[in-house]
Amino acid sequence: MREATLRDVAELAGVSPRTVSNVVNGYAKVTELTREKVERAIAQLGYRPNVLARHLATGRSGQIVVMVPYLDTPYFAELLQAIIPVARREGYNVLIDQSDGDREHEGQLIGQASHHALFDGMIYSPLGLSQEDLSGRDPALPLVVLGERTSEANFDHVGIDDVAASTEAVQHLIGLGRCRIAAIGDQPYPTGEAAQRRTKGFRAAHAAAGLAVDESLVIGTPRFNRVDGAQAMERLLALENPPDAVFCYSDLVALGAVHTLVRRGFRVPEDVAVIGYDDIEDGRYGLPTISTIAPDKQEIARLAVERLVMRIKSKEPVAGVDLRAGHRLIARQSTLAQ
Amino acid sequence: MREATLRDVAELAGVSPRTVSNVVNGYAKVTELTREKVERAIAQLGYRPNVLARHLATGRSGQIVVMVPYLDTPYFAELLQAIIPVARREGYNVLIDQSDGDREHEGQLIGQASHHALFDGMIYSPLGLSQEDLSGRDPALPLVVLGERTSEANFDHVGIDDVAASTEAVQHLIGLGRCRIAAIGDQPYPTGEAAQRRTKGFRAAHAAAGLAVDESLVIGTPRFNRVDGAQAMERLLALENPPDAVFCYSDLVALGAVHTLVRRGFRVPEDVAVIGYDDIEDGRYGLPTISTIAPDKQEIARLAVERLVMRIKSKEPVAGVDLRAGHRLIARQSTLAQ
């Protein structure tokens, strides 16, 4: 006996093939009565929709993956909440992968996904892999990388202008009359590209103001968490001549730095002004509230999803582009006293 | 010309097929020199590993999905951090789906996944679908549901004993001499099964102590968030005879309730004692710290993954079981003054 088809089910149930498809895929826009008729016909004919085989033919699964280093980092949590509804509106479901910044894991998932019809595309926030690593990947998987591009590639980048944003942040501190400005978060190794762009902006603002950078005030951190900021601030306060302002490479780092300052009896911003990066909710409700660089997360989400969908639908290879979302500086209590 | 095989690549590169597979899958345990040799051979032969076809044969993708209502709810964020490493140790990658508690979305992903080799299995925290909805699903997808079972099913449940835990929470309040105890979080509709078990425990503790439940103290909430707790507490304080203790169905609800109490000038726990549920990090660092029921999240993760892997590997249909993880009551400042 030949295998029952969707058309057979439709005929037996007395409905259109589209309605059968709606029932099979669990779409809600089917009346209870129709659903029952279709389900009875499916059971009677032993029909099994072969979705995988269909995907093998079309190469589409309707799923995209967003790979981020840490799900519980507020910046990524907020960015995911922006990406999910945009992708759903475009007809794609979003699955999320946590890489832990592990180089092997990142390479493995990209490798598997590339040779695979598991996902139609990937939005990827790199931490373990450098741009050089990525440039050698198989181009079969439509890929959009979060962050700025530093080299030619067969995938896209979406990010804000980190150097410009960091320059603005440090110029804000200089504009307040501060002249011993520290930076917390440098990562001078191949995968620390995002951190290095912030250090570049830090230096550019100094140069533009004719200020020399005191290299003892540039502190590296393994991650961008509260603990990194708290520990780096301890080191800065132990200096003979501590800073009067700090540019932190994330709001979590800034929250950690402020924690140390307050605990040690320093006033923020009177003794030390602090500015962060990311505009996460925790910074908006901190005591003091945290001045920050706010990336336009909605625009990042929209650009990343639109570009990925275009790549998924394109039949030709597409050259990589570097798309810039907007950002703005938000001055709060940690740099401007009430 | 016949398609190149993995064995052809191995022969040309002068390495074992296993090494080729390591390179193809991006495993890091390959020297740079070997990787280069293999990559050159792959390019020369135009070899393309057909992972999808292999999966079509074995029906395995190596990916499992965890579907949760909200990624940014701390309880789920913490549970995911427990599930991911356990699954990786078992050889499965974890992809995460946010359902927003949307009935259509939940049904659709389960429906697609069932007819699909996209994922090998699913761990699912239901919110939109009731257990009755789930019982009619296609049994093709190995499924473990988080929460307690209320009916026979062809999938497993993993959860703590909510009724017992809730009874203990309320007995703790009764043991402190409180007798007007409120409950915040009831959800008396089909998808509110988890909430209803907590209400059941609330009533059981009253019955065991010979106390009557004042029905005006049982407050329903649409979700288990801070705002739900804050608003419900407002309603309770507006009563002619407000409660002297509150059992909250999540720590977020408890944090919201405490916020309202403090803002209105009530002392916690002197005027109103508050206990939550979930043992999230925010509650451990609250002012006051929040007493709570702590589910053993590590055990939930271990039981859920082990059971799912067993189902994935089993060739026979497996009857559904109800597995219980442990829990304990942790008394903190919100019920015991310092």
Side-chain angles (χ1 to χ4, degrees):
Chain A
M1 198 185 96
R2 80 172 170 88
E3 184 106 354
T5 67
L6 188 128
R7 200 161 288 280
D8 298 333
V9 174
E11 209 161 293
L12 182 63
V15 301
S16 72
R18 190 185 162 76
T19 301
V20 175
S21 159
N22 283 345
V23 171
V24 164
N25 291 301
Y27 296 109
K29 282 167 200 70
V30 177
T31 65
E32 268 316 298
L33 184 69
T34 305
R35 182 183 303 279
E36 269 170 35
K37 276 197 297 189
V38 171
E39 281 171 354
R40 224 176 301 124
I42 285 174
Q44 206 173 320
L45 294 169
Y47 168 67
R48 259 189 86 76
N50 193 341
V51 181
L52 184 62
R54 204 196 310 153
H55 285 165
L56 197 62
T58 67
R60 301 283 164 80
S61 73
Q63 311 284 335
I64 64 176
V65 168
V66 181
M67 177 158 58
V68 296
Y70 309 102
L71 282 166
D72 52 0
T73 295
Y75 176 72
F76 292 117
E78 293 182 11
L79 193 59
L80 287 168
Q81 296 309 323
I83 289 174
I84 291 171
V86 178
R88 292 216 179 128
R89 272 199 299 278
E90 296 277 349
Y92 292 86
N93 187 46
V94 174
L95 297 169
I96 297 146
D97 180 83
Q98 169 169 296
S99 70
D100 296 315
D102 181 73
R103 188 169 182 274
E104 185 173 358
H105 176 90
E106 293 184 6
Q108 213 166 308
L109 192 69
I110 291 178
Q112 286 181 351
S114 301
H115 298 300
H116 229 269
L118 262 192
F119 325 123
D120 296 344
M122 182 186 284
I123 296 172
Y124 165 49
S125 178
L127 192 60
L129 296 174
S130 66
Q131 299 208 4
E132 207 186 319
D133 291 328
L134 280 172
S135 64
R137 78 186 185 95
D138 184 310
L141 178 76
L143 179 69
V144 172
V145 171
L146 299 178
E148 223 176 304
R149 183 168 64 156
T150 56
S151 57
E152 289 306 308
N154 52 12
F155 49 90
D156 303 313
H157 284 81
V158 175
I160 67 167
D161 186 335
D162 277 322
V163 177
S166 302
T167 306
E168 287 163 40
V170 177
Q171 281 173 337
H172 172 64
L173 299 173
I174 293 170
L176 299 171
R178 309 298 164 123
C179 53
R180 277 191 63 70
I181 302 172
I184 302 181
D186 195 33
Q187 298 179 337
Y189 36 83
T191 57
E193 287 153 340
Q196 289 160 34
R197 289 193 293 273
R198 290 167 208 194
T199 305
K200 200 168 166 188
F202 173 81
R203 294 186 188 282
H206 279 77
L211 282 173
V213 170
D214 178 345
E215 295 299 332
S216 70
L217 299 183
V218 180
I219 309 286
T221 60
R223 284 178 57 176
F224 282 0
N225 284 344
R226 274 188 174 84
V227 62
D228 302 301
Q231 289 173 354
M233 200 68 233
E234 294 282 1
R235 282 176 58 191
L236 287 167
L237 293 179
L239 292 175
E240 204 159 317
N241 190 1
D244 57 13
V246 188
F247 170 42
C248 297
Y249 291 11
S250 82
D251 284 353
L252 284 181
V253 168
L255 286 163
V258 166
H259 179 84
T260 294
L261 284 165
V262 170
R263 209 167 50 81
R264 297 264 171 190
F266 289 80
R267 292 165 305 161
V268 179
E270 292 83 353
D271 299 320
V272 183
V274 177
I275 189 166
Y277 208 100
D278 288 346
D279 188 32
I280 62 171
E281 195 176 23
D282 286 16
R284 275 173 244 157
Y285 293 93
L287 275 175
T289 55
I290 305 293
S291 299
T292 195
I293 294 294
D296 187 336
K297 298 185 190 98
Q298 295 300 329
E299 196 184 0
I300 293 173
R302 189 180 54 74
L303 290 172
V305 171
E306 279 178 3
R307 188 75 191 167
L308 187 66
V309 169
M310 185 278 291
R311 281 193 171 269
I312 291 169
K313 292 184 173 164
S314 169
K315 285 177 178 61
E316 306 295 324
V318 180
V321 296
D322 197 7
L323 297 170
R324 293 282 164 85
H327 68 267
R328 62 198 175 99
L329 188 149
I330 303 177
R332 298 200 183 104
Q333 294 168 346
S334 68
T335 56
L336 304 177
Q338 276 295 27
Chain B
M1 200 184 96
R2 80 172 171 90
E3 184 107 353
T5 67
L6 188 127
R7 199 161 288 280
D8 299 333
V9 174
E11 208 161 294
L12 182 63
V15 300
S16 71
R18 191 185 162 74
T19 301
V20 176
S21 158
N22 283 345
V23 172
V24 165
N25 290 303
Y27 295 110
K29 281 168 200 71
V30 178
T31 66
E32 268 315 297
L33 185 69
T34 305
R35 182 182 302 278
E36 270 171 34
K37 276 198 297 190
V38 171
E39 280 172 355
R40 223 176 303 124
I42 286 175
Q44 204 173 323
L45 294 169
Y47 168 67
R48 260 189 84 76
N50 193 342
V51 181
L52 184 63
R54 205 195 310 152
H55 285 164
L56 197 61
T58 66
R60 300 283 164 78
S61 73
Q63 311 284 336
I64 63 176
V65 168
V66 182
M67 177 158 57
V68 296
Y70 309 102
L71 281 167
D72 52 359
T73 295
Y75 175 72
F76 291 118
E78 293 182 11
L79 193 60
L80 287 168
Q81 297 308 324
I83 289 173
I84 291 171
V86 178
R88 292 215 179 128
R89 273 199 299 279
E90 295 277 348
Y92 292 86
N93 187 47
V94 174
L95 297 168
I96 298 146
D97 180 83
Q98 169 169 294
S99 70
D100 297 316
D102 182 72
R103 188 168 181 274
E104 184 174 359
H105 176 90
E106 293 184 6
Q108 213 166 310
L109 193 70
I110 291 178
Q112 286 181 350
S114 301
H115 299 299
H116 229 268
L118 263 191
F119 326 122
D120 295 343
M122 183 187 282
I123 295 173
Y124 165 49
S125 178
L127 192 60
L129 295 175
S130 67
Q131 299 208 2
E132 207 186 318
D133 291 328
L134 280 172
S135 64
R137 77 188 186 95
D138 184 311
L141 178 76
L143 180 69
V144 171
V145 170
L146 298 177
E148 223 177 304
R149 184 168 62 156
T150 55
S151 57
E152 289 305 309
N154 52 11
F155 49 90
D156 303 312
H157 284 81
V158 175
I160 68 167
D161 186 335
D162 277 323
V163 177
S166 302
T167 306
E168 287 162 39
V170 177
Q171 281 173 337
H172 172 64
L173 299 173
I174 294 170
L176 299 171
R178 310 297 165 124
C179 53
R180 278 191 62 70
I181 302 172
I184 303 181
D186 194 34
Q187 299 180 336
Y189 37 82
T191 57
E193 287 152 341
Q196 289 160 34
R197 290 193 294 273
R198 290 167 207 193
T199 305
K200 200 168 165 188
F202 173 80
R203 295 186 188 282
H206 279 77
L211 282 173
V213 169
D214 178 344
E215 296 300 332
S216 71
L217 299 183
V218 179
I219 309 286
T221 61
R223 285 178 57 176
F224 283 181
N225 284 344
R226 273 187 174 85
V227 62
D228 302 301
Q231 289 173 354
M233 199 67 233
E234 295 282 0
R235 281 176 57 191
L236 287 167
L237 292 179
L239 292 175
E240 203 159 317
N241 190 0
D244 57 13
V246 188
F247 169 43
C248 297
Y249 292 10
S250 82
D251 283 354
L252 284 181
V253 168
L255 286 163
V258 165
H259 178 83
T260 295
L261 284 165
V262 170
R263 209 168 50 81
R264 296 263 172 193
F266 289 80
R267 291 165 306 161
V268 179
E270 293 82 353
D271 299 321
V272 183
V274 176
I275 189 165
Y277 208 99
D278 289 346
D279 188 32
I280 62 171
E281 195 176 23
D282 286 17
R284 275 174 243 157
Y285 293 93
L287 274 174
T289 56
I290 305 293
S291 299
T292 195
I293 294 294
D296 187 336
K297 299 185 190 96
Q298 295 300 330
E299 196 184 1
I300 293 173
R302 191 179 54 73
L303 289 172
V305 171
E306 279 177 4
R307 188 77 190 166
L308 187 66
V309 169
M310 185 279 290
R311 281 192 170 270
I312 291 169
K313 292 184 174 164
S314 169
K315 285 176 178 58
E316 306 294 323
V318 179
V321 296
D322 197 6
L323 296 170
R324 293 281 165 86
H327 68 267
R328 63 198 174 99
L329 188 149
I330 302 177
R332 298 199 183 105
Q333 294 168 347
S334 69
T335 57
L336 303 177
Q338 277 294 29

